[in-house]
Amino acid sequence: MSLVPEPHLSPVEQTSAPARNLPPRRLRLANPSLVIGSILVLLILGVTVLAPYISPYGPNQVNYSAVLQAPSAHHWFGTDQLGRDQLARILFGARTSMEVSVGSLVVGAGIGVPVGLIAGYYRGFLDTWIIMRIIDAIQAFPFLILALVLAAMLGPGSRNAMIAIGIGLVPTFARTARAQMLQELGKDYIDAARVAGCTHARIIFRHILPNALTPIIVQATLAMASSIVAEASLEYLGLGVQPPTASWGSMLQSAQGYLQLAPWLVVFPGLALVLSVVSFNLLGDGIQRWLNRKIS
């Protein structure tokens, strides 16, 4: 390679001329967790919405001539002990799982976020000796055990499952909202809002809550994965939606007697459950990394 400057370029152009014969830059994802998680979550949500249109059969369509058939061209995921198509039941089971999980998030965040914001804003006796002690008492129980106990007390059904799982999520959202409130209280815009005569409710929900939403959204995506596992556990124990409604947990429960004869009855619902949990965990981790990079 010659070091002699090119005669037809000026010194400035020679300095700014791009280097030649350099290897092409490889495409690298800055946040693969966010990209992969977003794609998988969108895929799951799309399946949930479009299940009636893409399902090859009805979820409760019984065919006694096709009992316990292995995966084939007609039944991609095989059939169960009643001849029902496994793919159709998994697609509609995604809808059941998402409905219960999203409903539980609404309950958990709807209770936990206002409680945490109020506790962090007023502090003192209300925060230390009343609200946080109740939160500690709830959090003393493992999340899944608490959901099972509450579901057993309330009885089976999708609405009761939402309430049971949602109450178990309250401490997580309350602590997250309280921590954000304590962080925002020392900022200048809070003093400006007080000087302007804003009420306490307006300061909490109009000024502080929008600035505290980001960590709450991250926590919601991570809690979604826990809700899916809890929902499947309740279904497995018969405390969620009742048959013949398709759900992954009830499919696993009914398949336990056919592990050797028809292992596909366990494999495909289990894979759907694992994929959903991993997808929301990847999404939450990706959002958290993106926010940390943005802040730094």
Side-chain angles (χ1 to χ4, degrees):
M1 180 177 178
S2 176
L3 299 179
V4 180
E6 297 185 20
H8 61 280
L9 295 178
S10 67
V12 175
E13 292 173 333
Q14 292 173 10
T15 305
S16 61
R20 295 189 176 93
N21 300 325
L22 293 178
R25 298 181 62 181
R26 294 182 179 179
L27 180 62
R28 182 174 64 87
L29 294 177
N31 195 340
S33 297
L34 180 60
V35 175
I36 297 173
S38 300
I39 293 173
L40 292 176
V41 168
L42 289 176
L43 178 62
I44 293 171
L45 295 179
V47 167
T48 301
V49 175
L50 300 176
Y53 305 99
I54 63 179
S55 176
Y57 302 93
N60 301 317
Q61 184 177 341
V62 176
N63 184 4
Y64 291 110
S65 62
V67 172
L68 296 179
Q69 285 191 356
S72 63
H74 296 287
H75 302 282
W76 289 3
F77 289 179
T79 60
D80 63 4
Q81 67 276 13
L82 297 178
R84 295 174 296 188
D85 184 74
Q86 281 289 93
L87 176 58
R89 291 186 63 78
I90 288 175
L91 293 177
F92 280 88
R95 169 171 289 192
T96 301
S97 180
M98 292 301 109
E99 287 178 355
V100 175
S101 300
V102 171
S104 64
L105 279 182
V106 172
V107 173
I111 298 175
V113 172
V115 167
L117 292 175
I118 292 172
Y121 184 82
Y122 290 101
R123 291 175 287 183
F125 181 81
L126 178 66
D127 174 29
T128 305
W129 295 103
I130 298 180
I131 295 179
M132 295 313 299
R133 295 293 73 80
I134 297 175
I135 296 298
D136 290 340
I138 298 175
Q139 205 166 20
F141 297 91
F143 166 68
L144 187 56
I145 299 299
L146 178 62
L148 292 174
V149 171
L150 292 175
M153 293 173 58
L154 296 172
S158 59
R159 181 178 300 178
N160 292 339
M162 292 178 190
I163 296 174
I165 298 172
I167 292 176
L169 294 175
V170 167
T172 301
F173 285 103
R175 289 189 176 278
T176 302
R178 178 179 179 272
Q180 289 302 118
M181 172 62 75
L182 295 177
Q183 183 177 349
E184 294 293 326
L185 276 179
K187 297 185 177 179
D188 294 336
Y189 75 90
I190 303 299
D191 296 331
R194 288 171 176 166
V195 171
C198 295
T199 62
H200 295 305
R202 182 175 178 83
I203 293 175
I204 293 173
F205 296 104
R206 177 65 180 82
H207 296 284
I208 297 180
L209 180 58
N211 294 315
L213 274 181
T214 302
I216 295 173
I217 293 174
V218 174
Q219 189 60 56
T221 58
L222 298 175
M224 187 70 179
S226 301
S227 300
I228 292 173
V229 174
E231 183 270 338
S233 301
L234 295 181
E235 304 290 351
Y236 184 85
L237 297 174
L239 297 175
V241 297
Q242 297 301 294
T245 303
S247 65
W248 295 338
S250 61
M251 292 173 68
L252 292 172
Q253 192 278 334
S254 61
Q256 64 181 353
Y258 303 91
L259 290 176
Q260 296 182 351
L261 184 61
W264 59 85
L265 297 181
V266 177
V267 171
F268 293 115
L271 288 177
L273 180 61
V274 170
L275 179 63
S276 300
V277 173
V278 171
S279 300
F280 281 99
N281 278 330
L282 284 175
L283 179 61
D285 181 67
I287 294 175
Q288 192 169 18
R289 289 185 180 183
W290 176 72
L291 292 174
N292 291 338
R293 183 175 300 178
K294 186 176 180 180
I295 293 174
S296 60

